[in-house]
mmCIF file of all heavy atoms in Angstrom:
data_model
loop_
_atom_site.group_PDB
_atom_site.id
_atom_site.type_symbol
_atom_site.label_atom_id
_atom_site.label_comp_id
_atom_site.label_asym_id
_atom_site.label_seq_id
_atom_site.Cartn_x
_atom_site.Cartn_y
_atom_site.Cartn_z
ATOM 1 N N PRO A 84 4.733 11.607 15.169
ATOM 2 C CA PRO A 84 4.971 10.430 14.347
ATOM 3 C C PRO A 84 3.736 9.637 13.963
ATOM 4 O O PRO A 84 3.633 9.156 12.843
ATOM 5 C CB PRO A 84 5.958 9.576 15.202
ATOM 6 C CG PRO A 84 5.798 10.106 16.589
ATOM 7 C CD PRO A 84 5.478 11.542 16.454
ATOM 8 N N LEU A 85 2.774 9.480 14.882
ATOM 9 C CA LEU A 85 1.588 8.697 14.539
ATOM 10 C C LEU A 85 0.781 9.381 13.417
ATOM 11 O O LEU A 85 0.329 8.716 12.493
ATOM 12 C CB LEU A 85 0.697 8.505 15.763
ATOM 13 C CG LEU A 85 1.130 7.407 16.745
ATOM 14 C CD1 LEU A 85 0.146 7.307 17.872
ATOM 15 C CD2 LEU A 85 1.251 6.074 16.051
ATOM 16 N N LEU A 86 0.634 10.676 13.521
ATOM 17 C CA LEU A 86 -0.098 11.394 12.477
ATOM 18 C C LEU A 86 0.663 11.305 11.149
ATOM 19 O O LEU A 86 0.047 11.111 10.093
ATOM 20 C CB LEU A 86 -0.268 12.867 12.883
ATOM 21 C CG LEU A 86 -0.973 13.780 11.872
ATOM 22 C CD1 LEU A 86 -2.373 13.269 11.606
ATOM 23 C CD2 LEU A 86 -1.019 15.213 12.404
ATOM 24 N N GLU A 87 1.957 11.396 11.195
ATOM 25 C CA GLU A 87 2.751 11.352 9.980
ATOM 26 C C GLU A 87 2.752 9.937 9.391
ATOM 27 O O GLU A 87 2.753 9.762 8.162
ATOM 28 C CB GLU A 87 4.173 11.804 10.239
ATOM 29 C CG GLU A 87 5.031 11.966 8.999
ATOM 30 C CD GLU A 87 4.463 12.983 8.001
ATOM 31 O OE1 GLU A 87 3.760 13.909 8.438
ATOM 32 O OE2 GLU A 87 4.736 12.856 6.802
ATOM 33 N N LEU A 88 2.744 8.919 10.251
ATOM 34 C CA LEU A 88 2.659 7.546 9.743
ATOM 35 C C LEU A 88 1.374 7.348 8.933
ATOM 36 O O LEU A 88 1.375 6.786 7.835
ATOM 37 C CB LEU A 88 2.691 6.547 10.899
ATOM 38 C CG LEU A 88 4.024 6.271 11.603
ATOM 39 C CD1 LEU A 88 3.841 5.310 12.774
ATOM 40 C CD2 LEU A 88 5.055 5.726 10.611
ATOM 41 N N GLY A 89 0.269 7.811 9.496
ATOM 42 C CA GLY A 89 -1.012 7.694 8.795
ATOM 43 C C GLY A 89 -1.019 8.481 7.480
ATOM 44 O O GLY A 89 -1.493 8.022 6.448
ATOM 45 N N THR A 90 -0.415 9.681 7.528
ATOM 46 C CA THR A 90 -0.370 10.524 6.345
ATOM 47 C C THR A 90 0.470 9.896 5.254
ATOM 48 O O THR A 90 0.088 9.898 4.088
ATOM 49 C CB THR A 90 0.180 11.913 6.697
ATOM 50 O OG1 THR A 90 -0.617 12.503 7.742
ATOM 51 C CG2 THR A 90 0.189 12.826 5.500
ATOM 52 N N ARG A 91 1.603 9.326 5.635
ATOM 53 C CA ARG A 91 2.455 8.652 4.652
ATOM 54 C C ARG A 91 1.763 7.444 4.064
ATOM 55 O O ARG A 91 1.931 7.140 2.871
ATOM 56 C CB ARG A 91 3.778 8.226 5.316
ATOM 57 C CG ARG A 91 4.707 9.363 5.719
ATOM 58 C CD ARG A 91 5.315 10.065 4.540
ATOM 59 N NE ARG A 91 6.294 11.043 4.926
ATOM 60 C CZ ARG A 91 7.614 10.849 4.941
ATOM 61 N NH1 ARG A 91 8.119 9.690 4.574
ATOM 62 N NH2 ARG A 91 8.440 11.811 5.338
ATOM 63 N N TYR A 92 0.983 6.768 4.864
ATOM 64 C CA TYR A 92 0.263 5.574 4.378
ATOM 65 C C TYR A 92 -0.728 6.000 3.305
ATOM 66 O O TYR A 92 -0.842 5.386 2.220
ATOM 67 C CB TYR A 92 -0.472 4.941 5.546
ATOM 68 C CG TYR A 92 -1.079 3.588 5.259
ATOM 69 C CD1 TYR A 92 -0.388 2.417 5.550
ATOM 70 C CD2 TYR A 92 -2.361 3.475 4.718
ATOM 71 C CE1 TYR A 92 -0.962 1.168 5.314
ATOM 72 C CE2 TYR A 92 -2.929 2.244 4.456
ATOM 73 C CZ TYR A 92 -2.224 1.097 4.762
ATOM 74 O OH TYR A 92 -2.788 -0.136 4.518
ATOM 75 N N VAL A 93 -1.490 7.067 3.565
ATOM 76 C CA VAL A 93 -2.449 7.587 2.598
ATOM 77 C C VAL A 93 -1.709 8.062 1.328
ATOM 78 O O VAL A 93 -2.175 7.806 0.207
ATOM 79 C CB VAL A 93 -3.282 8.727 3.203
ATOM 80 C CG1 VAL A 93 -4.126 9.433 2.153
ATOM 81 C CG2 VAL A 93 -4.172 8.184 4.319
ATOM 82 N N ARG A 94 -0.626 8.773 1.501
ATOM 83 C CA ARG A 94 0.127 9.263 0.366
ATOM 84 C C ARG A 94 0.608 8.095 -0.523
ATOM 85 O O ARG A 94 0.587 8.193 -1.743
ATOM 86 C CB ARG A 94 1.303 10.093 0.839
ATOM 87 C CG ARG A 94 2.147 10.712 -0.326
ATOM 88 C CD ARG A 94 3.326 11.480 0.243
ATOM 89 N NE ARG A 94 2.871 12.585 1.084
ATOM 90 C CZ ARG A 94 3.617 13.194 1.980
ATOM 91 N NH1 ARG A 94 4.887 12.820 2.165
ATOM 92 N NH2 ARG A 94 3.125 14.188 2.686
ATOM 93 N N PHE A 95 1.061 7.036 0.140
ATOM 94 C CA PHE A 95 1.508 5.868 -0.621
ATOM 95 C C PHE A 95 0.370 5.296 -1.463
ATOM 96 O O PHE A 95 0.569 4.947 -2.621
ATOM 97 C CB PHE A 95 2.058 4.795 0.325
ATOM 98 C CG PHE A 95 2.508 3.549 -0.374
ATOM 99 C CD1 PHE A 95 3.803 3.455 -0.851
ATOM 100 C CD2 PHE A 95 1.648 2.468 -0.560
ATOM 101 C CE1 PHE A 95 4.238 2.320 -1.525
ATOM 102 C CE2 PHE A 95 2.070 1.339 -1.219
ATOM 103 C CZ PHE A 95 3.363 1.255 -1.718
ATOM 104 N N ALA A 96 -0.808 5.213 -0.875
ATOM 105 C CA ALA A 96 -1.958 4.683 -1.615
ATOM 106 C C ALA A 96 -2.304 5.516 -2.835
ATOM 107 O O ALA A 96 -2.693 5.018 -3.869
ATOM 108 C CB ALA A 96 -3.162 4.573 -0.698
ATOM 109 N N VAL A 97 -2.101 6.846 -2.681
ATOM 110 C CA VAL A 97 -2.388 7.779 -3.792
ATOM 111 C C VAL A 97 -1.315 7.674 -4.874
ATOM 112 O O VAL A 97 -1.628 7.650 -6.068
ATOM 113 C CB VAL A 97 -2.489 9.220 -3.272
ATOM 114 C CG1 VAL A 97 -2.572 10.229 -4.416
ATOM 115 C CG2 VAL A 97 -3.689 9.369 -2.330
#
Side-chain angles (χ1 to χ4, degrees):
L85 281 181
L86 179 59
E87 188 60 26
L88 285 177
T90 303
R91 291 290 185 98
Y92 190 95
V93 170
R94 182 182 300 161
F95 179 87
V97 172

